[in-house]
Amino acid sequence: MILKGRAIVDGFAEGEVVKFDKPIVILGDVNEREGKILGREIKDKIVVFPYGAGSTVGSYTIYGLRYYNNAPKAFVLEKAETIVAAGAIIAEIPTVDGIDISKIENGMHIVLKNDQIEIP
Amino acid sequence: MYLTREEEKIMEGEIGENYAKMLKILVKIGEIYNADRLIPISSAQISGVSYNTIGDAGLHFLKSLKGVKVKVRSTLNPLAFDKRYLKELDVDRTLLEKQMEIINAYKDMGIITTATCTPYYYDNVPDLGEHIAWAESSAVIYANSIIGARTNREGAVTALASAIIGKTPNYGLHLDENRRATHLIELDFEPKGEDFPLLGLLIGKKVQGIPYLRISGDYDDFKLMGAAMAASGSIAMYHVENFTPEYRNAMGDYVEKISIEKDEINELKRNVDVELVAIGCPHVSPSELRKIAEFVNGKKKRKNVELWVFAARSVWEKYNDLVSIIEKFGGKVMVDTCVVVSNAGKIFKKIGTTSGKAAFYLSKEKFGGADVVVEDMYTLLRSVVE
């Protein structure tokens, strides 16, 4: 199955999905030093969630994932907003939005090519 | 999105990679929100200043922008301390040094290092209808609602990018059609004193959009109400009938009605024997500072309660006579910082404040998890004097 979205940061990524069903409060839910979101490992994973929320400083938390060598391979979103989009751009994490994430399950192995997702 | 030739050249890296990266951020955000083009701004307000929130990663990013300069008047949000009160604010050497590195990085970019969440009093004052890119949520809502300037709720990074490029994508609250009311708030009471910030907290939770209110109050009442709305929710603008500059054309045909009863406000009121009275979130206005000084003048401070007032450096300088009165009483007037971004919430466990915003954050674990009560200024001041 192929899902088409909109590329926020172009890139190629292949890996295991860690999925969050609820919006992520970036400054608060993300632990950039340990590479965890709400306690779950996200380093080198493809992180799928609806959208980001919370403090405007959150973009630096996403940059922190790269700075501490804990970045995910990609972000897949329902809807990008200012905090995650700007954070993903400065951290250079491939990011796509406009994806119906109900089609993606936790633990799946997926491939991201710029603006599209391939589910084998 | 339409780009001018000059913008295309910047995108191609003609004036440097960092400028290209900053413009790319604005263009992407523009595409996400369907902006047609970038528009010039007259000022920026930048968040992401306290080392307590942006950490080493944020500092690393700011240093990577070395050599880049801002194009418009830009001011900073509060930082982790007032340099005169390092001991009282429990500031260690690392925090002091890292915080100064952050400030210097901003200074090198040409940013005015006045650190306040109320730049609209003296340091960065927009006019009605001006386009700006501000990131501090309480200043965003004040600028849109009370002043009638136009800004979206920018992120720390998008506000910085806008400051550097001198432009912002044309979408959201920059456009007339998105500045009209979406919700009408109906109250069964006339708000007074602490009702304003408490009402703000409730509206923030109930409304995603632009609320319209038929209430009366003064600038300070609405500042506290707006800051609370912007903290508990994502509201960036409201209208007050016969008060805010754009209320006349604000009501459309399809507004949702929201009723709030006095009982809901009363449920938020509580009694706490406070150790600290904190006033100035957002930073105090000259009139708030005057009210505090006049009240405490000649009175004696209770020993086990502290009074900390937070102000913009410019207000502190201009009204030094009032500051002296408060200091003579035994209170402190701190500049450049605030009760939320300093360590105050970790030092005091029982805090009284006029601010719904401060209560919202300070009660969270990350900020110390203090017991916080919101009361009107005079009730709080009475608990500080003998």
Side-chain angles (χ1 to χ4, degrees):
Chain A
M1 183 169 44
I2 287 182
L3 303 173
K4 204 126 172 83
R6 174 175 60 180
I8 306 298
V9 179
D10 277 331
F12 175 89
E14 184 174 357
E16 185 193 330
V17 168
V18 178
K19 188 180 172 186
F20 299 87
D21 294 316
K22 291 200 178 131
I24 293 174
V25 178
I26 304 300
L27 182 71
D29 291 348
V30 179
N31 185 332
E32 69 274 30
R33 288 161 186 265
E34 291 178 12
K36 288 181 179 166
I37 297 178
L38 293 165
R40 294 163 68 187
E41 295 273 354
I42 54 118
K43 182 180 174 173
D44 293 332
K45 304 277 171 46
I46 295 182
V47 177
V48 179
F49 62 106
Y51 52 90
S55 164
T56 63
V57 181
S59 305
Y60 289 121
T61 308
I62 293 180
Y63 184 78
L65 287 168
R66 173 69 69 204
Y67 177 77
Y68 291 108
N69 234 336
N70 286 325
K73 281 186 175 164
F75 287 123
V76 176
L77 309 163
E78 234 163 58
K79 183 94 192 78
E81 44 60 64
T82 306
I83 309 304
V84 173
I89 294 171
I90 61 173
E92 295 172 2
I93 298 170
T95 299
V96 59
D97 87 331
I99 298 289
D100 176 3
I101 65 167
S102 70
K103 301 262 189 336
I104 305 175
E105 284 168 29
N106 191 54
M108 264 181 175
H109 188 93
I110 65 172
V111 179
L112 175 140
K113 282 179 193 160
N114 300 328
D115 61 350
Q116 72 178 39
I117 306 281
E118 289 173 24
I119 305 175
Chain B
M1 195 162 104
Y2 169 79
L3 292 184
T4 64
R5 258 200 67 76
E6 194 201 345
E7 287 160 2
E8 276 173 352
K9 281 185 185 167
I10 297 173
M11 279 285 259
E12 285 157 15
E14 200 156 282
I15 57 169
E17 272 313 302
N18 278 328
Y19 287 96
K21 197 196 288 176
M22 292 295 114
L23 182 54
K24 196 172 140 197
I25 291 169
L26 299 181
V27 171
K28 266 297 161 194
I29 298 294
E31 284 173 3
I32 289 168
Y33 294 105
N34 298 316
D36 57 345
R37 66 199 157 99
L38 297 173
I39 50 169
I41 52 164
S42 56
S43 85
Q45 166 74 10
I46 292 159
S47 67
V49 178
S50 172
Y51 177 70
N52 286 337
T53 55
I54 71 167
D56 287 322
L59 175 57
H60 182 264
F61 176 73
L62 294 173
K63 280 183 172 170
S64 78
L65 296 177
K66 204 170 169 54
V68 166
K69 301 281 176 204
V70 296
K71 240 185 154 168
V72 296
R73 186 174 186 85
S74 305
T75 43
L76 292 180
N77 248 19
L79 45 125
F81 50 76
D82 177 329
K83 261 202 227 167
R84 300 167 305 154
Y85 295 109
L86 296 179
K87 212 174 118 218
E88 289 84 347
L89 289 170
D90 202 9
V91 176
D92 63 25
R93 206 189 172 85
T94 311
L95 176 55
L96 175 65
E97 286 174 4
K98 298 278 190 178
Q99 183 67 77
M100 293 323 291
E101 281 187 62
I102 292 171
I103 300 308
N104 288 332
Y106 281 126
K107 197 176 184 177
D108 288 346
M109 290 182 221
I111 293 165
I112 302 160
T113 54
T114 291
T116 178
C117 48
T118 57
Y120 43 80
Y121 290 135
Y122 295 107
D123 303 288
N124 196 350
V125 189
D127 278 333
L128 178 71
E130 246 175 61
H131 295 280
I132 57 179
W134 284 18
E136 157 59 29
S137 72
S138 73
V140 165
I141 197 166
Y142 194 95
N144 277 318
S145 314
I146 303 284
I147 299 173
R150 298 181 170 213
T151 177
N152 288 313
R153 227 173 118 116
E154 297 294 341
V157 173
T158 57
L160 182 61
S162 295
I164 289 165
I165 301 297
K167 292 175 182 175
T168 191
N170 189 31
Y171 73 95
L173 291 174
H174 292 287
L175 304 170
D176 289 339
E177 63 264 32
N178 299 326
R179 296 177 66 84
R180 308 180 96 189
T182 58
H183 294 71
L184 174 65
I185 310 295
E186 297 180 311
L187 304 177
D188 68 347
F189 65 100
E190 289 269 331
K192 290 195 172 59
E194 71 267 27
D195 294 345
F196 285 95
L198 295 174
L199 179 61
L201 287 178
L202 283 177
I203 293 173
K205 285 185 185 145
K206 289 170 189 255
V207 174
Q208 270 200 308
I210 301 181
Y212 185 102
L213 297 108
R214 295 188 171 120
I215 55 176
S216 52
D218 63 21
Y219 287 103
D220 296 326
D221 293 329
F222 292 130
K223 175 182 75 171
L224 293 171
M225 180 185 78
M229 271 184 208
S232 70
S234 56
I235 298 175
M237 183 174 185
Y238 59 85
H239 297 281
V240 177
E241 199 160 272
N242 298 319
F243 192 85
T244 55
E246 294 172 66
Y247 82 88
R248 276 187 190 82
N249 300 314
M251 283 296 263
D253 295 333
Y254 302 102
V255 294
E256 190 181 327
K257 287 183 180 166
I258 303 271
S259 299
I260 296 177
E261 292 171 4
K262 179 76 179 165
D263 285 350
E264 290 176 75
I265 300 281
N266 287 342
E267 273 171 33
L268 298 174
K269 295 186 184 179
R270 40 210 294 274
N271 286 315
V272 175
D273 249 340
V274 300
E275 302 162 345
L276 171 70
V277 165
I279 302 175
C281 168
H283 281 167
V284 286
S285 66
S287 83
E288 287 172 311
L289 192 66
R290 183 171 303 281
K291 283 178 187 166
I292 298 167
E294 282 171 357
F295 186 90
V296 300
N297 194 10
K299 293 197 174 77
K300 200 167 178 284
K301 189 178 85 67
R302 279 176 56 191
K303 275 212 172 70
N304 49 355
V305 187
E306 298 303 319
L307 170 64
W308 288 7
V309 177
F310 299 90
R313 187 173 281 275
S314 50
V315 170
W316 176 83
E317 273 169 4
K318 276 195 204 324
Y319 298 89
N320 211 261
D321 51 330
L322 303 176
V323 171
S324 302
I325 293 170
I326 296 168
E327 285 178 348
K328 206 166 148 200
F329 164 76
K332 293 188 169 60
V333 182
M334 299 191 182
V335 300
D336 296 341
T337 188
C338 79
V339 72
V340 178
V341 297
S342 69
N343 288 328
K346 289 168 185 156
I347 301 166
F348 296 95
K349 289 294 138 214
K350 293 173 180 177
I351 302 173
T353 176
T354 52
S355 170
K357 173 176 179 154
F360 178 81
Y361 283 112
L362 291 174
S363 56
K364 291 188 185 301
E365 227 25 72
K366 188 179 161 65
F367 293 88
D371 220 350
V372 189
V373 57
V374 181
E375 281 176 318
D376 82 281
M377 187 188 284
Y378 290 110
T379 308
L380 289 170
L381 290 174
R382 275 194 292 275
S383 68
V384 192
V385 299
E386 282 208 341

